[in-house]
Amino acid sequence: MNKYYTEYQRKLTDPKRASEKIENGNTIVHGLSIAEPPALLSAIADRARAGNLRDIKIYSLLPLAHAAKTVLVPDLSDCIQAYSWFVTAADRDRVKVGLDYFVPNYFHQIPRLCSDFMKIDVTITTVSPMDKSGYFSFGTANDFTSTAARHCKRLIIEVNQNMPRVFGDSLLHISEVDALVENNVPLLEMIPPEPEPEDEIIGKQIANLVPDGATLQLGVGGIPNSIARYLDGHKDLGVHTEVFGPGMVDLIEKGVVTGRRKTIHARKSVFTVTQGVKRTYEFINDNHSIESYPVSYVNEPSVIAQNDNMISINSIIEVDLLGQCNAEFLGGSQFSGTGGQLDFVRGAFNSRGGKSILAFYSTAKKGEISRVVPRFQTGTVVTTPRMDTHYLVTEYGVVNLKGKSTRERALDIINIAHPKFRDGLLREAEDMHLI
Amino acid sequence: MEIEATKVGNAIVISLKGRLDAVTSSEFEKSLSSWISEGANHFLLNFNNLEYISSAGLRSILATSKKLRERQGKIFLTGLCGSVEEVFKISGFLSIFRVFASAEEALKEI
């Protein structure tokens, strides 16, 4: 028998036994989103509930249903302290009341936080099945997960045949693994929201900013995801993105994305994390044109900038008249996180011919609230500082703030607000002595 | 924070006034622990006059309830209102504890 299969069998165990190696006071990092390992998380939660595990610290980024139903449940709050690098519905309310703690970060720096600033006892994540050479792959979650896997005392993996096998710097050898369990459940899906009527206007405006041969990053959220359908007429686009999503599958299959004119990793679509639906995972599985790398590489601004005509497209919650952008704070509390927005805002601007685009609907709550505000509410976090803001796009237009004075940018920003709010914003701008 | 404790039937009624937070939660836990060491098993926490509860307060209630569970004891809640009720709702803690509309109703059942 192949020696790797022998080692596999030796390390194979069940989730309960695997979790028994976790000790009181341990710090655990789990795989991002789709790679949350449900069987291992469940076993940890069971031990904690039985009173056999306490003072556990667990770190998540974009936690989903598996984490929400196991280690993030309210009745384990006294024995598990959860930390979040990017908040979702799974932990938003807990962060709001202080049960979970948010850790501010740039996404591209999290691997370094894992290696240099944390002492990780255990990393758990879902991986794709082992090949004949002894390699698993990190699949949908390379990001910080691969670094945490290599900077912990104990690595326990959950092997799932549904996890796509991904190339790039995404492989994990059996010799690096301490224990493994098998659990072939369907992967979680993140279904893109239904498009809004404004998406067509915004999408077409953004498409005009994207030249043929550009390299794209599309962020999370409804607007960036819906942009893809308006790029159908483009040629030889490339992908260097944080999140590889369903929209990119469509562009590749239509031949719009070829990667031929990318400056680095030509002909390859590069990403660090995948979120999507079954079709997305099937597409990237065993696909040599798709490569994942750690987020410390993919999101490093100086790497992003190496691609000429790098176009990053992300969304924000609101912008103030100074040009500061908030993409993560809502109703006085942490709604999501910085993620990779500023990584790509800076990297794309520094690219030759590059553009960073922040797109948003001009209003919220069915037109009741303007997303263009004179000033942020006290305590609101700034995701993209005003000096970094490049293009802003709403259904009312496109503005480029680079090089603009405080007066010019205030007027430009007001021009892309919903018309019913513009007079009020002008008056506020006068009161602020911006105009 | 002021803690007023009264034995009523099978239960100890603990009325809290002020803030249950990182500063006062250990005092709260000590108070319940001393009743537990005297054999008390069921507690009714009355939050009518509690102005504020933090995550530390939530955790201290949860930790105490788990100690009681080992002795088949329980914590019940009443008097939830305002921001304290909001915190219980948002945190999901309403799903962990039985809440009564009034102390009288609670004491009939305990």
Side-chain angles (χ1 to χ4, degrees):
Chain A
M1 185 189 271
N2 178 307
K3 67 171 183 173
Y4 302 122
Y5 286 114
T6 306
E7 192 172 352
Y8 184 104
Q9 292 303 319
R10 186 167 55 77
K11 291 177 177 178
L12 176 62
T13 183
D14 62 73
K16 183 169 181 290
R17 275 216 197 97
S19 76
E20 282 165 4
K21 298 289 186 190
I22 297 172
E23 296 171 355
N24 292 336
N26 271 182
T27 295
I28 303 172
V29 171
H30 72 75
L32 189 158
S33 278
I34 311 299
E36 293 176 353
L40 290 170
L41 286 169
S42 198
I44 292 168
D46 287 346
R47 278 194 69 206
R49 188 165 287 108
N52 297 329
L53 208 51
R54 61 177 191 281
D55 298 326
I56 296 297
K57 288 185 188 170
I58 195 150
Y59 283 77
S60 307
L61 193 150
L62 258 161
L64 295 180
H66 295 318
K69 289 178 192 163
T70 55
V71 293
L72 298 181
V73 293
D75 74 303
L76 295 181
S77 305
D78 61 326
C79 40
I80 296 178
Q81 177 57 65
Y83 293 79
S84 188
W85 283 309
F86 194 103
V87 171
T88 63
D91 58 352
R92 187 168 295 134
D93 285 341
R94 296 172 54 85
V95 168
K96 189 171 183 176
V97 299
L99 278 174
D100 290 4
Y101 303 149
F102 178 71
V103 182
N105 64 88
Y106 290 125
F107 196 9
H108 81 275
Q109 291 183 348
I110 296 181
R112 190 171 159 212
L113 299 184
C114 290
S115 61
D116 295 1
F117 290 84
M118 292 168 66
K119 289 190 180 355
I120 303 172
D121 295 293
V122 182
T123 297
I124 56 174
T125 192
T126 306
V127 299
S128 60
M130 190 179 78
D131 66 13
K132 61 181 169 58
S133 306
Y135 285 101
F136 309 89
S137 89
F138 286 105
T140 61
N142 197 329
D143 48 81
F144 60 84
T145 310
S146 55
T147 307
R150 287 157 176 143
H151 289 87
C152 62
K153 291 181 187 158
R154 190 162 184 83
L155 172 62
I156 311 173
I157 57 174
E158 186 162 319
V159 182
N160 185 338
Q161 67 189 18
N162 297 301
M163 177 58 83
R165 180 172 163 78
V166 178
F167 300 105
D169 184 8
S170 177
L171 300 180
L172 173 73
H173 197 255
I174 181 72
S175 59
E176 299 181 82
V177 174
D178 293 292
L180 63 103
V181 303
E182 290 173 342
N183 188 26
N184 296 318
V185 294
L187 296 181
L188 293 173
E189 293 184 285
M190 291 178 75
I191 297 168
E194 283 301 309
E196 299 285 343
E198 296 86 349
D199 287 357
E200 185 176 345
I201 306 170
I202 292 174
K204 286 178 176 171
Q205 289 177 133
I206 291 178
N208 287 337
L209 295 172
V210 179
D212 285 342
T215 297
L216 288 183
Q217 174 259 335
L218 292 178
V220 293
I223 293 180
N225 189 67
S226 68
I227 297 306
R229 67 175 69 97
Y230 301 104
L231 297 170
D232 276 4
H234 282 66
K235 295 189 180 76
D236 285 333
L237 297 180
V239 170
H240 180 107
T241 193
E242 172 188 303
V243 180
F244 188 94
M248 282 162 181
V249 174
D250 296 333
L251 288 174
I252 295 171
E253 287 186 333
K254 287 174 186 170
V256 173
V257 165
T258 62
R260 286 182 198 134
R261 287 157 68 174
K262 286 180 73 182
T263 316
I264 56 171
H265 301 284
R267 295 171 298 283
K268 304 286 185 184
S269 291
V270 168
F271 74 97
T272 195
V273 62
T274 304
Q275 288 168 346
V277 295
K278 194 167 174 229
R279 181 170 166 254
T280 321
Y281 313 140
E282 287 169 349
F283 181 81
I284 68 173
N285 181 47
D286 231 4
N287 185 335
H288 284 267
S289 76
I290 309 291
E291 292 187 344
S292 87
Y293 293 86
V295 69
S296 48
Y297 177 76
V298 175
N299 279 34
E300 164 55 53
S302 62
V303 171
I304 296 166
Q306 288 178 45
N307 274 306
D308 290 347
N309 300 305
M310 179 75 217
I311 313 289
S312 78
I313 302 162
N314 292 287
S315 59
I316 60 174
I317 291 171
E318 58 181 353
V319 62
D320 71 7
L321 293 181
L322 302 175
Q324 302 182 120
C325 297
N326 161 29
E328 62 191 276
F329 216 74
L330 194 59
S333 63
Q334 193 70 35
F335 183 81
S336 56
T338 305
Q341 178 168 123
L342 195 51
D343 299 342
F344 275 90
V345 162
R346 289 182 172 160
F349 180 71
N350 286 338
S351 143
R352 185 164 49 189
K355 295 172 183 138
S356 117
I357 300 169
L358 296 174
F360 60 108
Y361 305 124
S362 66
T363 62
K365 286 203 174 163
K366 297 194 199 303
E368 273 179 41
I369 300 175
S370 175
R371 289 178 183 257
V372 174
V373 297
R375 298 173 190 79
F376 289 152
Q377 255 186 8
T378 304
T380 299
V381 168
V382 173
T383 310
T384 294
R386 60 181 175 168
M387 299 76 69
D388 287 293
T389 308
H390 190 184
Y391 284 93
L392 292 170
V393 181
T394 70
E395 68 272 31
Y396 291 103
V398 179
V399 294
N400 176 353
L401 298 190
K402 284 290 185 179
K404 299 261 172 82
S405 65
T406 49
R407 173 192 158 86
E408 288 162 331
R409 54 180 55 215
L411 290 171
D412 277 358
I413 292 167
I414 291 169
N415 273 339
I416 61 170
H418 190 290
K420 75 178 184 183
F421 294 107
R422 289 181 194 168
D423 285 348
L425 287 165
L426 272 169
R427 280 189 206 104
E428 292 279 358
E430 284 177 331
D431 289 347
M432 290 163 71
H433 304 291
L434 292 175
I435 59 173
Chain B
M1 183 179 66
E2 290 168 32
I3 304 176
E4 201 179 281
T6 325
K7 190 170 190 330
V8 180
N10 282 336
I12 309 296
V13 180
I14 307 276
S15 298
L16 302 172
K17 187 177 178 186
R19 295 169 59 97
L20 181 54
D21 56 21
V23 173
T24 58
S25 58
S26 57
E27 178 196 345
F28 166 78
E29 280 190 66
K30 267 189 207 143
S31 165
L32 265 65
S33 291
S34 81
W35 281 103
I36 292 171
S37 64
E38 289 177 23
N41 245 10
H42 298 303
F43 291 86
L44 175 63
L45 303 183
N46 190 338
F47 292 126
N48 256 325
N49 293 312
L50 190 68
E51 292 158 18
Y52 173 86
I53 187 164
S54 74
S55 58
L58 290 174
R59 276 191 248 265
S60 65
I61 297 174
L62 181 60
T64 309
S65 79
K66 286 187 178 177
K67 276 190 207 142
L68 283 170
R69 209 181 295 165
E70 289 165 16
R71 308 148 56 97
Q72 279 78 54
K74 277 190 178 173
I75 287 182
F76 303 89
L77 310 181
T78 190
L80 278 175
C81 56
S83 64
V84 173
E85 185 178 21
E86 190 64 22
V87 168
F88 268 85
K89 263 193 205 145
I90 294 171
S91 63
F93 269 53
L94 280 185
S95 64
I96 305 174
F97 296 99
R98 191 142 171 227
V99 181
F100 290 92
S102 69
E104 292 73 27
E105 200 181 304
L107 290 167
K108 278 186 204 157
E109 291 228 18
I110 299 173

